[in-house]
Amino acid sequence: MIVSRQSSFTVTGMTCAACAAGVEHHLSRLPGVNSAEVNVATGRAVVEYDPARADEKLLIEKIKETGYGVVTPRYDVGVTGMTCAACAARITRGLLKMPGVLEANVNLALGRATIVYNHAEVTPADIRAKIVDTGYGVFELEEAGRSGKDERAAEIARIRFLFIVSAVLSLPLLVYMLAMLLPVLSLPRFLFNPYFQFALATPVQFGPGLFFYRDAWFGLKNRSANMAVLVAMGTSAAYVYSVWAVFWGHREVYFESGALVITLVLLGKMLEAFAKGRTSEAIRKLMGLAAPTARVLRDGVETEVPAEEVAVGDLVLVRPGEKIPVDGVVTEGHSAVDESMLTGESMPVDKAPGDAVTGSTINSLGLLRIQATRVGRDTVLARIIRTVEAAQGSKAPVQRLADVISSYFVPVVVAVAVLAFWGWFLVFDPGNFTRALLAATAVLVVACPCALGLATPTSIMVGTGRGAESGILIKGGEHLENAHRLGVIVLDKTGTLTHGRPTVTALVLAPGTGLSRDEVLCLAGRTEAGSEHPLARAVVEYAGAGQAAEEFRAVPGRGVLAAVDGHRVAFGNARLMEEQGISRQGMERAALELEDQGVTAMYLAVDGEVAAVFGVSDTIKENAARAVAELEEMGLRVWMITGDNPRTARSVARAAGIDAGRVLAGILPEDKAREVARLKSTGARVGMVGDGINDAPALATADVGFAIGTGTDVAMETADITLMSGDLRGVAASIRLSRATMRNIRQNLFWALFYNVILIPVAFSGHISPVIAGAAMAFSSVSVVSNALRMKRYDPFAVNG
């Protein structure tokens, strides 16, 4: 019997019947597709297919290949009640079985699920219902920062309450256990009464212990086993045996084992929850940067409103010392703005009418009137928060190892526990049911895989959060992991190694003209005042603003001609001088020396005689050489790529400390990606650093793309890592952070597995009691999270950090 499935999709971009026919035709030709109907009026495609040969992802890819879009939104939802990696895996499997769910990523450490779904097949309400049906709680994440703080606080309070109840009831049992170990202790006889112990252990087993029974039930119901299954099995075995011993067997009881294991595991869960709460502090700090209110001018009246109510186009007043509430453009006023939260630079930046300002930066001096251009979710801060959230909720490739191990772990442990029971009962201590039961229970309890499930996500959360606090925005765990493998870094020249704007770096006056330096500057400034050319802007900025020339004529590709206070002025390159019949003798040598240094030489001629040579260049950034040196010291090979001429390229490379043999000059923008691909073909992992629109293809081609935060939005959207400050040292800092995070993950995985590898055989051998096993299991989870939290003190910009 052929099983078929029908799925529908909301298709965007179709404008006519021919569009619909094209989509229909391409879908129908796919293997496994029985029929496809596309309606241009409703924008809906309905496809019937064999799920064994095709799936929704394949169909969506085919629609996109045809040139149209499919509505596949992303839904983030908070999840409560998860206790280990098996819980996250169970929810993931359940969600992926839903028709319409394309991707599902459940993060244990963050308590959050991220789902990409087919808008036409499934809704967020369906997704929430599925998670609840799997046995967990859900809550909507806050729009501004999605912190889920209240829900997490409630979950911590619940675990704390269960622990306190369990601890109070278990305390007499603990005292009894100590008395059995240390007979010298003199205790009241009622503590030894098995009926009294039964009265204490029963509410623990079915009160706080219900936490594990419920979780275990949902796990088994969904055909998966998790930590709760192990705890429920181990404690139930000890409890049931003790009940039988009290009422029918009249033997020694072990109520304290089950009760104390439940108490210790809850203690571990509570400490773990507190520690996990600290891993998302980066998000809370970023959210705290936002200005809560704004002063808006509406109809000439100043009104204070919540910042989220500001609309695009509103005029906002910001007084000295206040936070700027939205992204916008200064329309009135002059001030200095502290942008350290964005760039890390401590020096305030001067702002005047026409300058852009960013929300959450601080106005230091004067009163500013700002027109809002981006508000709410579109502000730079909101985008940064979303980027960090997405990164903290993502999975690094290394986590797949932990997921695979966790999926097999619990069934293997149950098998080992069964083997331990029968081994002791039949071989090691024949007929001793009690000894066999305790060994099996210890194996079940000590082997809980909580630490394994937390090993990777906690480190990823802390690492990406620490990066955000340092001005390094990492889009996902996979990029954080990939950065530590890089062997080659390709640096774009303009805007990355250099400031990206020409500056006058030299002025050589010709002897015998009778013109002073100030007079030369005045003539140059007035001559270029009418030009919009970048080189002209550099000269005007250097010479100072002045009255424009009386006559002005631009000569494309050569320079300008002007009349200034009765003088005939020519300002441009050697070709302009030749065409105007002006001799360069005596100044040609100075111009050649400048050009040998990669500087553009411009002649200023007054009344037919050269009066000066200006040297204009795109100056190298202050930290560029230091950044290159750091990368080289870390063992990376640094290349430079530019569309500039080889002479200028070599000059910049020399100043930056880049080997001349690793300079790619004269590369057209469309060929940059090809050069990156060529370097990758040598087997090297390549990182590309750029800032412009023309760098976007190369950034996408590289194994890891780094965007300079002071560059274009296109570059930042394409890149995997954004350096908000524009400081090139951030590349080395990102790689150091990646290496430190991966080192932390390896440590966590080692300790998580170490506990199990060492203690399972010890428990099997009968050398530790279930109580000690419970304490060891709780300690393993807390130690893994605590180790990840050490990363919060890591400084990626410290060379020896």
Side-chain angles (χ1 to χ4, degrees), residues 230 409-410 413 442-450 756 759-760 773 777:
L230 299 180
F409 199 79
V410 174
V413 169
V443 169
L444 288 171
V445 174
V446 82
C448 292
C450 308
N756 293 131
L759 293 179
I760 288 177
M777 188 274 291

Side-chain angles (χ1 to χ4, degrees), residues 221-278:
K221 176 186 170 185
N222 291 283
R223 298 181 181 179
S224 68
N226 60 1
M227 176 273 294
V229 171
L230 299 180
V231 174
M233 286 180 65
T235 59
S236 295
Y239 177 80
V240 170
Y241 170 77
S242 298
V243 170
W244 173 81
V246 169
F247 295 101
W248 296 282
H250 305 293
R251 296 184 180 183
E252 189 175 354
V253 296
Y254 294 92
F255 285 119
E256 78 282 0
S257 295
L260 289 173
V261 164
I262 289 172
T263 303
L264 286 168
V265 175
L266 286 172
L267 173 62
K269 286 289 152 199
M270 185 178 70
L271 295 175
E272 183 185 300
F274 283 131
K276 283 197 294 184
R278 290 179 57 203

Side-chain angles (χ1 to χ4, degrees), residues 82-97 104-108 134 136 222-226 395 399 402-408 453:
M82 292 190 294
T83 56
C84 67
C87 298
R90 184 198 311 165
I91 297 170
T92 302
R93 284 196 301 272
L95 289 171
L96 289 175
K97 287 179 182 177
N105 177 22
V106 182
N107 189 297
L108 168 65
T134 310
Y136 301 90
N222 291 283
R223 298 181 181 179
S224 68
N226 60 1
K395 282 189 179 182
Q399 190 171 340
D403 290 344
V404 170
I405 295 173
S406 295
S407 66
Y408 292 105

Side-chain angles (χ1 to χ4, degrees), residues 304-573:
E304 187 168 311
V305 300
E308 58 268 22
E309 292 183 10
V310 179
V312 172
D314 277 347
L315 289 176
V316 180
L317 284 178
V318 185
R319 295 189 172 94
E322 293 181 342
K323 283 184 179 179
I324 296 172
V326 293
D327 296 356
V329 176
V330 177
T331 59
E332 287 183 32
H334 292 78
S335 184
V337 174
D338 178 0
E339 297 184 338
S340 57
M341 60 75 61
L342 185 70
T343 66
E345 295 293 332
S346 57
M347 291 296 293
V349 179
D350 290 334
K351 299 292 181 180
D355 290 338
V357 291
T358 305
S360 305
T361 56
I362 299 172
N363 179 25
S364 301
L365 299 175
L367 177 69
L368 290 178
R369 180 177 291 189
I370 298 164
Q371 185 171 38
T373 56
R374 286 187 293 207
V375 299
R377 287 177 52 84
D378 297 325
T379 64
V380 169
L381 180 63
R383 287 159 59 197
I384 289 173
I385 290 172
R386 288 200 298 275
T387 299
V388 176
E389 285 179 332
Q392 291 192 337
S394 67
K395 282 189 179 182
V398 70
Q399 190 171 340
R400 294 179 194 138
L401 171 64
D403 290 344
V404 170
I405 295 173
S406 295
S407 66
Y408 292 105
F409 199 79
V410 174
V412 169
V413 169
V414 172
V416 172
V418 171
L419 187 62
F421 177 84
W422 289 112
W424 276 96
F425 189 71
L426 298 176
V427 180
F428 305 123
D429 195 354
N432 191 334
F433 181 84
T434 301
R435 189 72 184 273
L437 178 66
L438 290 178
T441 302
V443 169
L444 288 171
V445 174
V446 82
C448 292
C450 308
L452 192 61
L454 292 166
T456 299
T458 48
S459 294
I460 293 293
M461 286 179 65
V462 178
T464 52
R466 190 70 193 94
E469 291 170 359
S470 303
I472 301 168
L473 289 186
I474 303 167
K475 286 188 177 177
E478 68 274 22
H479 309 309
L480 182 63
E481 179 176 342
N482 290 337
H484 91 284
R485 297 194 181 101
L486 295 177
V488 171
I489 295 293
V490 180
L491 302 172
D492 175 53
K493 179 181 79 71
T494 306
T496 301
L497 275 168
T498 66
H499 286 100
R501 61 180 185 276
T503 305
V504 175
T505 56
L507 172 57
V508 183
L509 299 177
T513 61
L515 294 173
S516 67
R517 177 185 175 87
D518 289 343
E519 288 171 324
V520 165
L521 288 174
C522 179
L523 289 168
R526 293 185 62 184
T527 299
E528 294 286 26
S531 175
E532 292 299 324
H533 194 281
L535 295 180
R537 295 293 90 202
V539 171
V540 171
E541 187 177 319
Y542 183 75
Q547 184 180 355
E550 289 88 11
E551 297 176 19
F552 174 86
R553 180 165 68 91
V555 184
R558 291 160 177 76
V560 298
L561 301 174
V564 181
D565 292 338
H567 297 286
R568 290 182 299 106
V569 180
F571 199 173
N573 56 26

